[in-house]
Amino acid sequence: RSRIPICDSCGAVLLGRMKGNLVSRTLYRSVLREIRALTRQKPLLYIVQKPDAKRWGTDRGIYRDSQVEVLHAFLPPAAAKLVARWHEDPAKRKELGLDHDICQQGFMREQLFGIARALFKHQDSTSTTEEEDKEERVEEAFAVLRTLALQSQIQLCSSCQTTRELRVRATSTFLMPESGKYIFCYRISIHNDGSLPVQLKGRHWEIRDEHGNVAGSVPKGSPGVIGKTPFLRPGQSFEYHSGVELPTPNGTMAGSFQMVVLDGERREDAEYGKEIESFDALVGPFLLKQSTTNASDLRSSRS
């Protein structure tokens, strides 16, 4: 059987593409495995951002929760730019389910599979012979994989609890040991999924070390959070950062927020209406777990 002659340069290009495709397929399968692991126990993956030590003691204010925006921040720059472009395309947005309302409480496994498939398909369809471009795209794919692996660690130190249609999410990150203590930063986000306005009035915390001993507490009804008592209309969220120290490298934290429900009828002396009932919104236990980090985060946050 006669063979089709292939020049050296063409053969090198073909071999390069074969190797590139093999790497791409391997990375793609690895990304799918990470997605499966993240969605094994829950039908929805709510992407959790790592607490930022520089925001310790501050709040984000009132906002509308959007997992689509979090996804943009979650992905490496090139992938985020591409997903943002798809989000602006009505047909592509519908195909991938990139709708703010649909994704408000997280992404389904099949949605994440579809986004990963579209990203890798786009990468293959714009294949190049330029070595630098190929290396950059491989690095982008590795960055997605690393981000998913980091998300697994963040999820381990997170909790989500819903009480009376008030959803409270908590997540922590280790900062550094200091004078025999272990310093952690945590972020709390509170989402009003109900039909009436609510106000946060007080808080309660119980912090335990790795032996189960109480290492600290905040009495129930202590006023507000970081000096704030936010009002939340239906669909609104509030987020803040704070921190805690432990005598051991690991521990847990749990508590509640004292909330009041308002009738929503605006009055001259009450923009959100009058109080009609109160309840405790539980904060599910979340881990305080030591990990390697950059100690400068804490120093810069306190400077």
Side-chain angles (χ1 to χ4, degrees), residues 93-285:
R93 183 170 65 241
K94 183 177 181 181
E95 176 191 340
L96 298 176
L98 293 172
D99 184 273
H100 290 289
D101 292 332
I102 293 174
C103 303
Q104 188 175 12
Q105 296 196 31
F107 293 92
M108 293 184 294
R109 176 186 291 182
E110 291 305 318
Q111 279 180 285
L112 294 170
F113 279 173
I115 294 168
R117 191 180 305 116
L119 286 170
F120 278 88
K121 186 176 180 180
H122 175 82
Q123 188 179 69
D124 290 342
S125 67
T126 56
S127 60
T128 177
T129 58
E130 293 294 332
E131 201 62 34
E132 288 186 5
D133 286 348
K134 284 192 287 188
E135 289 179 4
E136 184 178 331
R137 289 177 183 181
V138 168
E139 179 53 37
E140 281 285 332
F142 271 116
V144 171
L145 194 56
R146 286 193 297 269
T147 302
L148 287 169
L150 177 61
Q151 184 65 198
S152 296
Q153 296 302 310
I154 295 173
Q155 294 282 345
L156 286 175
C157 297
S158 302
S159 72
C160 179
Q161 184 95 25
T162 300
T163 309
R164 301 276 300 274
E165 297 185 295
L166 195 82
R167 186 165 34 104
V168 180
R169 293 187 177 273
T171 189
S172 73
T173 188
F174 175 70
L175 296 184
M176 63 179 289
E178 186 177 274
S179 303
K181 301 287 186 179
Y182 297 85
I183 312 298
F184 298 84
C185 179
Y186 61 85
R187 185 184 63 249
I188 303 294
S189 56
I190 305 167
H191 313 274
N192 183 5
D193 296 326
S195 58
L196 291 172
V198 296
Q199 183 185 13
L200 187 154
K201 289 283 195 176
R203 71 191 189 281
H204 164 235
W205 289 115
E206 186 169 275
I207 303 104
R208 293 182 178 272
D209 65 20
E210 62 187 27
H211 307 297
N213 301 317
V214 176
S217 64
V218 176
K220 184 176 178 178
S222 297
V225 291
I226 61 166
K228 305 289 180 67
T229 55
F231 289 91
L232 294 177
R233 296 187 187 278
Q236 290 184 333
S237 302
F238 176 81
E239 177 183 292
Y240 74 96
H241 281 68
S242 191
V244 66
E245 63 179 38
L246 278 180
T248 57
N250 305 298
T252 59
M253 190 167 172
S256 64
F257 295 118
Q258 286 65 65
M259 310 294 300
V260 294
V261 181
L262 302 112
D263 63 15
E265 296 181 11
R266 186 170 182 172
R267 298 173 176 80
E268 289 185 7
D269 60 340
E271 181 181 353
Y272 296 85
K274 68 177 182 180
E275 299 178 7
I276 54 177
E277 58 180 322
S278 61
F279 68 97
D280 287 349
L282 301 181
V283 184

Side-chain angles (χ1 to χ4, degrees), residues 62-76:
I62 305 299
Y63 66 99
R64 293 273 176 179
D65 192 22
S66 172
Q67 278 283 280
V68 174
E69 291 179 6
V70 173
L71 179 65
H72 293 170
F74 174 77
L75 292 170

Side-chain angles (χ1 to χ4, degrees), residues 28-74:
Y28 175 59
R29 286 194 290 267
S30 297
V31 165
L32 295 188
R33 278 197 298 271
E34 286 290 342
I35 291 172
R36 285 193 190 95
L38 283 166
T39 55
R40 186 168 291 131
Q41 296 182 354
K42 297 179 181 179
L44 291 174
L45 172 65
Y46 186 93
I47 300 173
V48 179
Q49 293 178 295
K50 185 179 179 180
D52 183 355
K54 295 177 182 177
R55 295 177 60 190
W56 183 321
T58 67
D59 68 272
R60 180 179 172 182
I62 305 299
Y63 66 99
R64 293 273 176 179
D65 192 22
S66 172
Q67 278 283 280
V68 174
E69 291 179 6
V70 173
L71 179 65
H72 293 170
F74 174 77

